Amino acid sequence: MKIPDYSDAERLSRDTFLVLLQATGRPGTLHTLPSKGYPENFACLARTLLDLETTYFTADPEMAPMLHRIGARESTVENAHYHFWPVLRESDLDTVSTASRGTPVYPEQGVTLFVGCTLGSGDLLTLTGPGIPEHQSLRVSGIPSAFWLLRNRLTDFPLGWDVCLVDGESIAALPRSTTIALQVEETV
């Protein structure tokens, strides 16, 4: 019996899922998504992870119709499984702070945040934890420095958020088990 070939859409979702697994297993390292640039990168991530059983939140007016067409259920900030933030502003942090961190009984109910940014410049994050030999450095700009302080304050493994940083075709994952030390880039 011959196994049917993947369709292009199935292949793209499979390849995206494998990249997410690799990125999560090696926190803070850059991996290449099979889709290029916004909005295709976020759309591909959403098509890979969302289905009729999962929920999402986005405050982005361009992204909301695309997510709706996938068929997943839109939800509140507090209850969504996945958050999509192509742009995260300081003014969004009060909203983000209400995202689920999971519970001691169900820590897997903590949200996964996909956040647009620029990787390779900006604030220096020093990462330690599972999947990281000694430490890993990652430079990130386009995300308020206060986000990292908020994330650290609300993370108490196994509770917390999984954060995926998206820059064009690049992605880096920061699971809730990763400890993040922030060194803010000074602007002159």
Side-chain angles (χ1 to χ4, degrees):
M1 179 169 87
K2 183 179 186 304
I3 298 172
D5 292 331
Y6 290 116
S7 70
D8 289 342
E10 290 168 333
R11 187 174 298 103
L12 187 59
S13 287
R14 177 186 175 277
D15 292 348
T16 300
F17 188 74
L18 291 174
V19 169
L20 286 171
L21 286 177
Q22 292 169 354
T24 302
R26 297 181 58 216
T29 58
L30 299 184
H31 298 267
T32 304
L33 291 166
S35 55
K36 316 285 187 233
Y38 179 81
E40 291 79 17
N41 52 4
F42 276 86
C44 188
L45 289 163
R47 282 192 298 273
T48 299
L49 296 169
L50 299 180
D51 59 26
L52 298 174
E53 302 293 321
T54 55
T55 56
Y56 69 88
F57 172 83
T58 189
D60 185 85
E62 184 178 338
M63 183 159 234
M66 182 273 301
L67 292 172
H68 181 72
R69 285 191 300 275
I70 290 173
R73 294 175 291 137
E74 185 174 9
S75 187
T76 62
V77 173
E78 300 86 359
N79 295 315
H81 297 110
Y82 299 99
H83 283 213
F84 296 91
W85 296 92
V87 176
L88 183 64
R89 297 174 185 85
E90 189 99 26
S91 60
D92 296 321
L93 295 183
D94 283 341
T95 301
V96 172
S97 72
T98 63
S100 176
R101 300 173 344 137
T103 68
V105 177
Y106 299 105
E108 72 279 4
Q109 291 178 351
V111 72
T112 299
L113 303 167
F114 291 92
V115 183
C117 65
T118 300
L119 296 167
S121 66
D123 294 341
L124 177 63
L125 306 181
T126 302
L127 314 171
T128 56
I132 303 169
E134 294 188 41
H135 70 279
Q136 174 73 34
S137 296
L138 181 67
R139 287 202 173 271
V140 181
S141 63
I143 297 177
S145 300
F147 171 78
W148 302 112
L149 302 174
L150 176 68
R151 185 255 183 212
N152 286 348
R153 184 172 54 84
L154 295 177
T155 298
D156 184 17
F157 186 77
L159 305 181
W161 307 325
D162 297 320
V163 178
C164 292
L165 305 173
V166 182
D167 178 11
E169 65 185 40
S170 296
I171 190 165
L174 305 175
R176 68 192 75 186
S177 59
T178 302
T179 301
I180 300 173
L182 170 68
Q183 182 179 344
V184 177
E185 181 179 64
E186 298 295 324
T187 56
V188 184

